[in-house]
Amino acid sequence: MTDVMSPTEAETDRALKARHRTMWALGDYPTLAVDLISPLGPALVAASGVGPGDRVLDVGAGSGNAAIPAALAGARVTATDLTPELLDAGRAAARAAGAELEWEVADAEALPYPDGHFDAVLSCVGVMFAPHHQRAADELVRVVRPGGTVALLAWTPTGFIGQMFATMKPYAPAPPPGAQPPPLWGDEAHVRTLLGERVTEVTATRGTVTFDRFGTPEDFREYFATHYGPTIVVRRSLADDPDRLAALDRDLVELARRNDRGDGSLVLDSEYLVVTARRA
């Protein structure tokens, strides 16, 4: 169980979560999820092995990239996220897909569910953005039943999206004390440490998803500058420093150029890690 915070710590945490909620409501993450990462949710659901009748929790569900495929596989799904706007988009996507599931606002670091309530807990590039990794991992394990499954998909530190976060880091406001970088969830050793001896049968596999909708590196930069909350926040923090903003934009273009494997149009491969485990 997560340690109880003091009143001051609790107030600081609420302010931090409010900033996260605002960040993910910026731009158009639901469209980005469809355009760029739609294969990831089904890949995670397949790796988890969830099926008809399973009680499944999707943590950091966003607009349902994993939750909707899990529901279509017959699971009884509760999709949670800190950002209501993403859940609203998920409800619409679920209706269009003919999927039935529950959508609830919840903090990954303080899930409002009893111990051992779910057969499986999933998170597809979601829980990795919770600032306090151990708190979030403790909650993932707590709410899954003994013998149940934890299945996580996260960007690796060395993959393209991990490199993008490293590119933005020198330009971003300093993180609050205790916050950890999201791509650490894509490091197998880090995730094993977070889950600890509370789980068994840990497996870790790597995969890649290809971004091929951008004609040029500049197109990539512009898309993320208008669609992706973390990029929007960093760029807004530089509004009074046009030279640094221009430098960030150049660095993002160079990042795409350096990773391009296309011939005439931009083709980028981004690596991710899938970890599955069974609660002891």
Side-chain angles (χ1 to χ4, degrees), residues 10 21 54 62 64 68 94 97 100 116 120 126 138 143 177 188 195 211 252 262 268:
R21 190 178 297 113
D54 287 336
I68 293 171
E100 294 186 6
D138 291 349
V143 300
E188 179 183 346
L195 299 177
F211 307 149
L252 289 172
L268 304 166

Side-chain angles (χ1 to χ4, degrees), residues 23 58 209:
M23 176 178 72
D58 186 0
V209 63

Side-chain angles (χ1 to χ4, degrees), residues 44-69:
L44 181 62
V45 171
S48 73
V50 301
D54 287 336
R55 296 168 302 166
V56 174
L57 177 68
D58 186 0
V59 178
S63 51
N65 185 260
I68 293 171

Side-chain angles (χ1 to χ4, degrees), residues 227-240:
H227 286 71
Y228 195 54
T231 306
I232 295 169
V233 165
V234 175
R235 296 185 83 255
R236 285 187 177 182
S237 74
L238 301 173
D240 295 329

Side-chain angles (χ1 to χ4, degrees), residues 168-180:
M168 294 191 298
K169 183 178 179 179
Y171 299 96
Q180 294 175 280

Side-chain angles (χ1 to χ4, degrees), residues 44-197:
L44 181 62
V45 171
S48 73
V50 301
D54 287 336
R55 296 168 302 166
V56 174
L57 177 68
D58 186 0
V59 178
S63 51
N65 185 260
I68 293 171
L72 292 174
R76 294 176 289 163
V77 180
T78 301
T80 66
D81 201 277
L82 197 61
T83 304
E85 292 87 345
L86 298 184
L87 298 181
D88 289 342
R91 291 185 185 95
R95 285 194 297 270
E100 294 186 6
L101 59 158
E102 299 296 320
W103 301 86
E104 298 180 355
V105 175
D107 181 352
E109 297 179 3
L111 294 169
Y113 306 109
D115 296 358
H117 188 65
F118 296 95
D119 299 306
V121 176
L122 314 181
S123 188
C124 182
V125 295
V127 75
M128 67 180 291
F129 292 100
H132 306 106
H133 294 188
Q134 192 62 63
R135 283 186 202 167
D138 291 349
E139 287 292 271
L140 297 177
V141 176
R142 180 183 67 79
V143 300
V144 72
R145 65 169 174 79
T149 299
V150 176
L152 310 170
L153 187 153
W155 302 118
T156 65
T158 55
F160 179 74
I161 296 296
Q163 291 180 50
M164 186 182 77
F165 275 94
T167 298
M168 294 191 298
K169 183 178 179 179
Y171 299 96
Q180 294 175 280
L184 278 179
W185 282 89
D187 178 273
E188 179 183 346
H190 181 69
V191 179
R192 285 180 178 271
T193 298
L194 292 174
L195 299 177
E197 296 181 357

